[in-house]
Structures are given as structure tokens and as C-alpha cells.
Amino acid sequence: MNVTRGFSGRPRVYNAGLPPGQYDAGDDWPVLSAEVTPDLAPADWSFRIDGLVAEPHTWDWAEAHALPASAYEGDIHCVTSWSKFGVRFGGVSLDAFLDAVRPDGSATHAVAYSHTGYTTNLPLADLTGGRAWIAWEYEGRPLPAEHGGPARLLVPHLYFWKSAKWIAGLRLLDHDEPGFWEQNGYHARGNPWDEQRYSGD
Amino acid sequence: MTETFVPPTGFAVPGRIAVSNRAAALWQTATLTEVRRETPRASTFRFAVPGWAGHLPGQHLMLRLRAEDGYTAQRHYSIASPPGDAGHIELTLDHVEGGEVSGWFHTVAKPGDEVEVRGPLSGFFAWPGDRPALLIGAGSGVVPLMSMIRHHRACGVTVPLRLLVSARGPEELIYARKYGTETTPVFTRRAPEGVPVGRLAASHVAPLLAAEQPPGGWEAYVCGSNAFAEHASRLLVAAGQPVHRIRIERFG
Ligand SMILES: Cc1cc2nc3c(=O)[nH]c(=O)nc-3n(C[C@H](O)[C@H](O)[C@H](O)COP(=O)(O)OP(=O)(O)OC[C@H]3O[C@@H](n4cnc5c(N)ncnc54)[C@H](O)[C@@H]3O)c2cc1C
């Protein structure tokens, strides 16, 4: 691409934590959902894993909180170009939930779905090994509803549309099945470091 | 416990149209051909994009600027023009204080300049003109809604269309002279003589969902800042609009 005449951009400080094409949103945390923010009380929240598993299971709020607590402290990246550094989420590692249902060896992918009907697909390998959480706390306080509270999926190494708000469950599959934004032209995996924004990237 | 989960609320809305993944992935050169001032803070930028695949009203694109050292900035912008403006698209940009991309457009850009665009993106907010549409926008959130109004006019679409548009005052109302009887402006700070001042309220929304509701109901499209989108979508839900028929575009 040609240089844009007269465009120099903001003065830039090199930041090794910033994936290509992203900017530091600082204290801002933009809300980008296509949905009406649901009124979902913790008492009405549940999380289920089914599909290719030995034992499908549904956790309610108390059962999920009884699992060992696990926190994420690090960065998040949204496909709309902002990144946020050093944020702190509290919840439970997804490994703890997956261990309980015993995924079948044939399971390769998952579809995450929300209590509102939103869906997003992920390779199972991106959800295991301490890289994904069910998160209900942000900076030590309950996760705000507009950011997915009472609980959201958190997969911080992928673009944030993968971290489904108001998470309701995961269905394990032996194939990839595009979710809401993926059917709307977005990339199947969404790795910010490879700039996998749109299908074809 | 059943084997398959059924979401308790109804948001399972598929995109209105299939998006061309090829068009979404391809960067194209857009040449600025015209700049029109809309308000003291917003201007419309018209581009020639010879290979433009076409879009539906409500879709947006990704725009990229590149500096000499290779640094790039990309932002999403809704498309203001209707489909059928062959080889051309129009964007309307607010001048954001300290904004990197909108700042370049408002202080540097002139006809002949080239930028890059990819899209159209997202079929979710698109309106093909099939169902009665209730549009609610604030500030530059009216941009994709104007594309819908233009499409409605250009194609003689007969389904009902209504727009509630919020602005601080008449001088900040984007496309002020382009609206017809389908539009009700809501002024939050300053209004012309005899027009009330105040934010969008239940009294604006409720009649549209009662006396003025078309058979089969509205497809609602809400666009603006996050704070506005939250406010407007809650008013819609309170007035009885089903959540699965509310589409929201938040500009962040
Ligand atoms: C789907 C979608 C459609 C959109 N459509 C439109 C549209 O039709 N029209 C429109 O006007 N906008 C639209 N937007 C918003 C648009 O994408 C941009 O966010 C907007 O133009 C601001 O970009 P900017 O580069 O000018 O500002 P930015 O540089 O992104 O700055 C935004 C704010 O953050 C501050 N800021 C950010 N980073 C820094 C930094 N490093 N240093 C200092 N300050 C900083 C700025 O001072 C400013 O207040 C849309 C957004 C979305 C998601």
C-alpha cells in the first residue's frame, strides 16, 4: 500500500506487548456487542459443557464458585483495534470444568454460546492448558453486565470476540463450526499476533 | 436436564445477508473525490472505489491509513451512501478531539488523496429493505441509518421506516436538511423555538410500538455511542420490542 499523504500517526513509543495494528486504549474499555445487555442475575446463570464428552455437566453459580479460583493478569486485544494492558480477571480456569466432563479424544473444536444466543467457535487447544477462564471478577469487583457479567468466557490470547459474554456453555465437536461473527466474515481463529481479523487473513 | 441447551432469551439473530468473505479480506484503494461539510464537527467524504463489491444499507468497512515509516492506523466506518451508487461510497466522520484517523480526514485530506478500505463487513446490522424498520441513532450513529433511508427512497421500498435521531442541538444534527416525514429529531441541549429539549425517552418510543406499530412489528436498529445504545435499547425493551429484533451497532 502507498503512504497516505500527510499522515504521520501519533508519536509512537515502541511497545512489545502491542500486536500489529492495535493501539493502547489506556483506561478505556469500549463495549462492543450487537445485543441488548441482558438482565442476568447470578442465581439465573449456569454453565454447561456437552457434546463430545464422557459426562455432560451443568454448573450453577455456587457450584462453579466451589471450583479452585484462578486469576488472569495480562493484556486483552479487540479486533476493533484497541488493546488493554495489565488487566486482572478472577474466576476459574476452564481446565477445571473440562476435567470434570472428560472430553472425548475425537473432540477438536468447541462452540461457545451465551445466555443470549451469541456463539463463537474455538479450537479446543485454545481452551486448555491454562489459557482460558470462566471469569466473574474484573479488577477485584463483579464483572459489569455490559462486559459480560455475571460471567464470561476469557481467552485472552485471541481477539476478544472469542471471549463470549454471558457465557452459558461449550459444545465440544470433532469439526469447526463458525459462530456469530465468524459467519459474518470474521476469522475462524482470531490470533492478534498474526492479525487474523477477517476470514482470508 | 436436557441434552441440548436452549437459550432463555431470544438473541440468536442470524446476519441479514451472507457476507462475501472475499470482499472482506481484500484491501482496495479508495480515492477521495469530494468533501462536504455536514455540521461544524462532521463532514462527508466521497470516494471512488472502482472494484467495490456493493453493500447493503447498515454495513461498515475498515479504513486504513499508512505513515511513511510503515505504521498503519485502521478504524471502522459505517457506509452512508446507499447501494447502487456504482463504484462510489460515502463516509461521514465526526472530528474526534485528538483523533488519529478522523483528525487526518478533517485537517489534511483533500480530493485526490488515496486511502485503503476493505469490506463491506458484517451482515448483522444490514437492512435489505424487507421488513418495517425502526431506526434510532445519535451523533454519527445516524450514518448507517441514513444509508437505509436513502435506500428506502431510491428503491421506492414501501415497508414503513421511522427514524428517531438524537443530537445536542440543531447545528449538530448530521444530514439535517435530508430528512423527511419519517424522521423525528430529539434535541438534548438546544432546540429551535417551540421544540422541547431533553433526551430520548419512553414518550418517543412507546407510540411507535403501540399506535404506530406496523403489522408484524418493527425490526429495530440502534446505533451510536455505547451509552446511547444501552439507553435506547432499554427503552425499546421496556416498550415491548422483542430483544431478538433489536440490532445494535456501538461505535465504542
Ligand atoms: C462499526 C463501527 C462503525 C463506525 N462508524 C463510524 C462513522 O460512521 N462515523 C464516525 O465518525 N465514526 C464511526 N466509528 C468510530 C470510528 O471507528 C473511530 O473510533 C473514530 O473515528 C475515532 O477514531 P480516531 O482515529 O479519529 O480517534 P482515536 O485516535 O482512536 O482516538 C479516540 C479517542 O481516544 C483518545 N486516544 C486514543 N489513543 C490515544 C493515544 N495513543 N494518545 C492519545 N489519545 C488517544 C483520543 O484523544 C480520542 O479522544 C465507528 C466505529 C465502529 C466500531
Side-chain angles (χ1 to χ4, degrees), chain B residues 82-116:
Chain B
D85 190 0
H88 287 84
I89 50 170
E90 292 186 1
L91 307 179
T92 301
L93 269 68
D94 253 335
H95 190 172
V96 174
E97 185 80 36
E100 193 171 42
V101 173
S102 68
W104 180 84
F105 270 99
H106 282 273
T107 60
V108 179
K110 59 172 202 247
D113 282 339
E114 292 181 349
V115 300
E116 285 215 315

Side-chain angles (χ1 to χ4, degrees), chain A residues 53-64:
Chain A
V53 298
E55 249 177 291
H57 192 82
T58 306
W59 291 264
D60 66 16
W61 187 251
E63 288 158 354

